[in-house]
Amino acid sequence: MDFLPIFLNVRNRLAVIVGGGAVAARKADLLLQAGASVRVVAPALASELAVLRDSGRIEYRAELFAPAVLDGAVVVIAATNQPAV
């Protein structure tokens, strides 16, 4: 099996996305549609994510990944091409 299908209630719960590119933007959109509070952690943001940040729809932390950014998260998505992360 390549994928684990899960159903997770994220409404009003913190979801963290590590990465700031196009994949992260797609994941943020899906999480927002599900009612999650979204935190994006990345040194820079793609334009789609910048729009969400500027409109107050996501929390943005302009930093490299550190375990502390996961505090309180119910789900974490690694949307980066950096294998170390």
Side-chain angles (χ1 to χ4, degrees), residues 50-62:
V51 169
L52 294 175
R53 177 204 56 208
D54 295 345
S55 66
R57 297 191 62 210
I58 65 169
E59 172 192 352
Y60 173 54
R61 294 197 183 177

Side-chain angles (χ1 to χ4, degrees), residues 23-81:
V23 172
R26 288 193 301 272
K27 301 302 181 183
D29 184 55
L30 290 171
L31 288 163
L32 289 168
Q33 287 181 50
S37 297
V38 177
R39 174 185 298 156
V40 175
V41 179
L45 289 180
S47 60
E48 301 93 342
L49 287 169
V51 169
L52 294 175
R53 177 204 56 208
D54 295 345
S55 66
R57 297 191 62 210
I58 65 169
E59 172 192 352
Y60 173 54
R61 294 197 183 177
E63 58 190 78
L64 296 174
F65 173 76
V69 301
L70 306 179
D71 289 349
V74 66
V75 64
V76 178
I77 296 174
T80 177
N81 60 1

